[in-house]
Amino acid sequence: MADDPSSTVEPAPLQDATSSGPFSPTSAVAATATLVTATSPNQSTATGNVMSPTTPRRHTTRRFSQKRGRSNSSFNTLGSGGHLDPHHEALQKIRQFLKGRSAFDVFPLSYRFIIFDTKLTVKHALATMNQHGIVSAPLYDSKQWKFAGMLTLIDIIHLIQFYYLKAETFETATSDVETFKIESLRNIEKDLSVPPPPLYFIHPSRPLFEACKLLIQSHARRLPLIDLDSESGLELIVSVLTQYRVLKFVSTNCAKEISALNYSLRSLGIGTYVDPKPPAGTDNPYYPIATASMEST
């Protein structure tokens, strides 16, 4: 990310079955959350709460797995002597490394990220995203004091589609967008018959391996880390885990293991490739990859 409350309504409890209690990262960490609220329309950002955890981070000894390859694997994972081949042995070591680190371990000792209040207008949210060079940000409902989702470029595309189809004139659309609030984006999705985006999250103390599995299973590019304040019981947005941060963390800490990953992407079934024999009636030469040209509308 930029990596990166007005009511007293009690929040609903966080329904995270993987949570294992209050989160306490290292005392050296200072995470500055910039909460952009609707109460400051003339300012693009306003520095919010600075969370300073107090208990030390749990240190986990790195242990490498000695598991053998599964007999039903599509690859011959066993080398001479019945041991794993170098590629699968490296994979096992990387997996064990991820299981021994928490989702929060990916982040540096000090970082900052942007949070948008759902009462903020889309206009000011876009200005802030442009100012800080980000393409998404977590949303916070200051009325219910809880995590409300993510604002992404897909939401902006839906807004453009809505006014392209519904607005009578360009002037009308421009006038409406000036005061359009983030919390109203869900109504846009209903009008466009677009399913609302699922709310995936994970507790920051859960293993990084679990977070990676959730990223893969949900096809998400980012995963919010949500904690509960130990005193108030309110939800806290600790940060947002991204694919880039995970890959950078692995490449920094597992360089030796990565050098042993010698299988090609195609042999592992990673990626989408042009079908040399597309189905009958398909006029796309790059099937199943969708393409566009300069003449596309």
Side-chain angles (χ1 to χ4, degrees):
M1 306 306 300
D3 56 290
D4 334 62
S6 48
S7 174
T8 57
V9 177
E10 285 294 321
L14 188 63
Q15 300 298 320
D16 182 3
T18 63
S19 177
S20 60
F23 170 63
S24 301
T26 178
S27 57
V29 175
T32 303
T34 302
L35 176 60
V36 183
T37 67
T39 58
S40 55
N42 296 323
Q43 299 178 354
S44 60
T45 61
T47 302
N49 300 326
V50 178
M51 297 170 285
S52 299
T54 56
T55 56
R57 185 185 303 185
R58 182 180 73 244
H59 293 279
T60 305
T61 302
R62 181 174 177 178
R63 297 186 179 89
F64 293 155
S65 172
Q66 298 300 323
K67 286 185 177 181
R68 299 296 179 89
R70 294 183 179 180
S71 59
N72 61 348
S73 173
S74 57
F75 293 95
N76 182 16
T77 63
L78 297 181
S80 60
H83 298 289
L84 290 172
D85 68 23
H87 178 93
H88 287 85
E89 184 179 6
L91 282 180
Q92 292 283 18
K93 292 179 179 180
I94 293 174
R95 290 182 182 123
Q96 288 302 114
F97 173 77
L98 295 177
K99 291 176 181 178
R101 298 295 185 272
S102 72
F104 189 77
D105 287 338
V106 169
F107 295 89
L109 295 179
S110 180
Y111 65 92
R112 187 170 71 95
F113 64 106
I114 305 297
I115 303 173
F116 289 139
D117 189 317
T118 54
K119 296 292 184 182
L120 188 72
T121 62
V122 172
K123 175 183 177 180
H124 287 99
L126 283 175
T128 302
M129 294 170 70
N130 180 64
Q131 177 183 347
H132 293 275
I134 59 176
V135 296
S136 64
L139 302 176
Y140 192 80
D141 188 335
S142 58
K143 183 177 181 180
Q144 300 186 45
W145 299 52
K146 61 185 298 184
F147 170 64
M150 296 287 297
L151 177 67
T152 67
L153 294 182
I154 294 296
D155 296 309
I156 307 305
I157 292 175
H158 289 162
L159 184 63
I160 295 174
Q161 289 178 323
F162 174 79
Y163 280 106
Y164 177 79
L165 297 173
K166 305 293 183 180
E168 296 180 357
T169 63
F170 176 79
E171 290 72 19
T172 302
T174 303
S175 176
D176 288 349
V177 170
E178 287 286 328
T179 58
F180 194 92
K181 295 183 178 181
I182 295 176
E183 62 183 357
S184 300
L185 286 172
R186 297 299 168 254
N187 297 328
I188 293 292
E189 293 169 348
K190 293 179 182 179
D191 290 337
L192 295 175
S193 299
V194 176
L199 285 182
Y200 294 108
F201 65 89
I202 196 169
H203 194 274
S205 66
R206 299 305 302 165
L208 182 57
F209 184 78
E210 291 185 16
C212 291
K213 285 184 63 178
L214 187 54
L215 282 171
I216 295 173
Q217 293 168 357
S218 62
H219 300 283
R221 298 182 179 180
R222 51 192 70 85
L223 184 64
L225 305 183
I226 309 298
D227 193 11
L228 291 179
D229 185 88
S230 57
E231 296 183 359
S232 65
L234 301 178
E235 294 182 7
L236 297 176
I237 305 175
V238 177
S239 191
V240 177
L241 182 68
T242 62
Q243 294 177 351
Y244 170 78
R245 279 200 177 275
V246 173
L247 292 174
K248 183 177 180 181
F249 185 70
V250 172
S251 66
T252 301
N253 294 279
C254 303
K256 181 180 178 180
E257 290 76 15
I258 291 175
S259 65
L261 301 177
N262 50 22
Y263 284 7
S264 68
L265 294 177
R266 182 183 286 272
S267 67
L268 294 171
I270 299 176
T272 304
Y273 301 90
V274 175
D275 190 343
K277 296 180 179 179
T282 301
D283 56 359
N284 179 9
Y286 305 107
Y287 178 88
I289 302 174
T291 61
S293 66
M294 296 299 293
E295 288 74 32
S296 300
T297 57

